[in-house]
Each structure stands twice: as structure tokens, then as C-alpha cells.
Amino acid sequence: MAFDIPYQFGFAIYLQGGAGPEAARTGGQITKMAEVSTGLIRLRGQKRVAIQIDGSLLSTFSTSIDEPVSGEDNDSALSVFLRKYIRGLDNPVIVKGLSYVPRTSPAVSERQRPPRWITDVIKTLELNVTFPGPSPVPKLIRSVTIQDMRISESRGHMTASGIVLAEIELPDQMEHIDVDVEGVLPDVLVFDGYPEDQEDIDPDDLPYPARAFGRIRPEQYLPSETTRSDTGRGILLVRAPIHDVPIEVLQGRDKIMSDFVSKIIFRGGARAGIKGVASVTVAIGGLESSLELKRIPVRGEFIVGKPRLLE
């Protein structure tokens, strides 16, 4: 038995997850992420049939089969999907048949349009599938430094200024997507020297790691600009200036902080390390709203220059 099915069929791709009162009441909601259509289906007696699909992300989404939702809710579902994906985790996805071929698909001739009795069957189909996470797990933020960092003191409070520089490596499946990191929100511990422990850390966890003396966590996202690196595909360079951001001295670490500042004063500079997490807001081409990716592990090192001593 060998024949081709000459028709194209439409399907909607839904994400499980989201926010809002409906999700709280039902234990979750589904968000339509994309509409796709099938390519030519060839049947050659094989046990498994490979089907090629093409489609586009929707610029606006809906959280049920019929009802639209606000940008905040659909961003939440897609943000959850991306956060799990970049951690190498699988995502549950729902595929539901449509009674039409999406407008985002290539031009469909009348011969390719399935008859009504077939689309009536297709639209009843609903499949729960797993979208696999990438392996190996991508290291989204390759490095973070603070260029030209200066520490200042005013009325007993320490602040930091400089430019946060982050190198971001997109997963292979995303390297051709138009991505713009619009804001960065670091929450990192500051070390006297480079943090040697390779394990990721949560700045809220106790006890504090060795040689950690301070914590930098701005109250608001730092506006940033993004450029593509010439060194490789999918590499983004992100710059976010910081100005007089408070450095919280960790409890019991005043001596480490004092020794670190002494190096800067008497040696003209000192090597510092940072380790913790960072959240980013990301604009993706074709989507109307930005997405938020939270608490991505980061680490880095840099030289801190001589401080300005203020009154």
C-alpha cells in the first residue's frame, strides 16, 4: 500500500499553564501559542508516519478554545514554557485539530482543502504530547561582568556603579529568532576574588559561601541594549548601566568587606566575583508583549577600581 494524502490539515498548539483567576480556580489553563498546518503526508505501509508541520507563533493568544486573555496572562504561560525549556525540562503541550487551514500557512489550493466531513473529524482530535527539553542543557548566560565598576561610600552605605555586561547564548533552536533583551535584574552575591565553587547558588540561602561579603539586587529592572556578537551564531551581548546601586553588606562579613576595600585603596584595584541569579525581560520578534525569564543562574569576575569617597 502506497499513496499520498493530498490535503492539508490545520492544528492549534496550546501550552499548559498561565496565570489569573481562571487558572487558580481550575488548577491550570491552556494558552494557544501557534497555529500550524501539515505538509504532504506519504503512506508507504510504515508503522510510524512522519508529518511535517509549518506555522507561526500568534502575536496575541487565547487561554481556552474560544476566549482571549490579556497580554499578562499569555506572557505568563509562554514565560513558564521558556523557563522550563532553558533548564532542559520537558513541557506538556496540547495539539488540537482545527476546522480550517490557518492563514499563516502557505497558499492552499482548492485541491488541498479537505472536504467538510474530514475537517469535522480533525477538529475533534486532541492530543497531549511532550515537548522535550534540550540536551545538553543550554547555558543561557555564558558570562557576566561589571565593566568599570566603582564602589562609593556615603553616610555609611556602600553603592556600586558601572556597566553590567552579559554574554547570552541562545539554544540552537532559537539562534535565528529575533531576540532583544530589554531589561536585566541581577540578584548576586559579591565575592573577594573569584567564587571557586562551581555549584549554582540562591542568594537567599544560608550559610553564605566563603569570601562572599555583599549582595547587589536593584529594586527595578536595569534598562539594557542588545547586539549580536560577531564571534558566533546565537550569541547576544547585553549592556546594562548601573548607577549607585546599593551593596548590602552580609551579616558577619564586615571584615571581608573591609579587607576588599583596603585592596582597592592601597593597590589601586581588586578582583571581585559575582554569583547568583538574574531575571531578564525579552522581546521576541512577532510577539506584541515582552516575556520575563526569572532567576537564571549567573557567575562572573571583574576588577573593581579605586572608589570615590563621598561625604
Side-chain angles (χ1 to χ4, degrees):
M1 181 182 69
F3 65 93
D4 298 334
I5 298 178
Y7 305 124
Q8 281 189 298
F9 305 108
F11 292 88
I13 309 299
Y14 290 84
L15 302 181
Q16 293 186 351
E22 179 66 19
R25 187 175 71 250
T26 63
Q29 65 185 26
I30 59 174
T31 301
K32 185 191 287 188
M33 180 184 69
E35 291 187 345
V36 301
S37 62
T38 61
L40 181 65
I41 300 175
R42 297 182 179 274
L43 300 180
R44 299 294 184 267
Q46 68 271 42
K47 292 183 178 180
R48 293 189 175 186
V49 178
I51 300 177
Q52 179 177 340
I53 60 173
D54 292 292
S56 301
L57 285 174
L58 303 180
S59 59
T60 56
F61 306 105
S62 60
T63 55
S64 66
I65 303 305
D66 303 308
E67 298 179 0
V69 294
S70 67
E72 180 180 356
D73 286 341
N74 67 56
D75 280 355
S76 176
L78 191 52
S79 294
V80 170
F81 178 91
L82 290 175
R83 286 200 294 271
K84 293 179 66 176
Y85 180 81
I86 64 176
R87 287 175 169 81
L89 302 176
D90 295 341
N91 273 286
V93 173
I94 297 175
V95 180
K96 184 173 177 59
L98 297 173
S99 60
Y100 56 89
V101 179
R103 291 192 298 269
T104 56
S105 303
V108 181
S109 68
E110 288 301 321
R111 289 185 177 183
Q112 292 175 298
R113 297 184 185 278
R116 177 68 178 270
W117 68 269
I118 294 183
T119 58
D120 286 344
V121 173
I122 292 296
K123 71 180 182 181
T124 66
L125 297 179
E126 183 172 319
L127 304 174
N128 291 284
V129 299
T130 297
F131 191 96
S135 180
V137 177
K139 186 177 181 180
L140 187 67
I141 300 182
R142 296 175 58 177
S143 65
V144 176
T145 62
I146 302 181
Q147 186 181 60
D148 299 327
M149 180 174 174
R150 294 292 185 270
I151 293 179
S152 304
E153 187 275 339
S154 178
R155 299 179 178 86
H157 297 287
M158 308 299 294
T159 62
S161 299
I163 301 175
V164 177
L165 300 177
E167 187 177 49
I168 295 178
E169 181 176 14
L170 298 177
D172 292 343
Q173 298 87 342
M174 299 178 63
E175 66 179 28
H176 297 298
I177 297 177
D178 184 15
V179 175
D180 181 18
V181 179
E182 297 179 319
V184 178
L185 185 64
D187 183 2
V188 295
L189 298 182
V190 185
F191 293 75
D192 180 4
Y194 187 71
E196 298 178 355
D197 187 358
Q198 296 299 313
E199 296 296 324
D200 296 334
I201 66 170
D202 184 332
D204 289 325
D205 290 345
L206 296 175
Y208 297 120
R211 295 184 292 109
F213 64 83
R215 184 174 183 177
I216 296 177
R217 47 174 173 176
E219 295 182 354
Q220 298 179 335
Y221 273 88
L222 307 173
S224 63
E225 59 181 29
T226 306
T227 57
R228 288 264 176 176
S229 172
D230 296 331
T231 60
R233 296 181 302 175
I235 304 297
L236 305 180
L237 302 178
V238 180
R239 294 169 52 91
I242 61 175
H243 180 68
D244 290 339
V245 173
I247 301 178
E248 304 173 29
V249 180
L250 303 179
Q251 185 175 5
R253 300 300 176 93
D254 299 79
K255 179 64 165 59
I256 300 176
M257 175 71 170
S258 177
D259 291 344
F260 180 79
V261 173
S262 295
K263 293 179 185 179
I264 300 174
I265 295 174
F266 297 109
R267 300 181 188 177
R271 182 173 299 277
I274 54 174
K275 194 174 183 182
V277 295
S279 299
V280 296
T281 55
V282 180
I284 296 179
L287 300 184
E288 293 184 351
S289 302
S290 298
L291 304 177
E292 185 179 32
L293 303 180
K294 296 182 178 180
R295 302 185 70 78
I296 304 168
V298 298
R299 62 186 294 135
E301 63 177 325
F302 48 90
I303 299 297
V304 180
K306 197 169 183 178
R308 306 185 311 267
L309 298 180
L310 304 180
E311 296 184 358

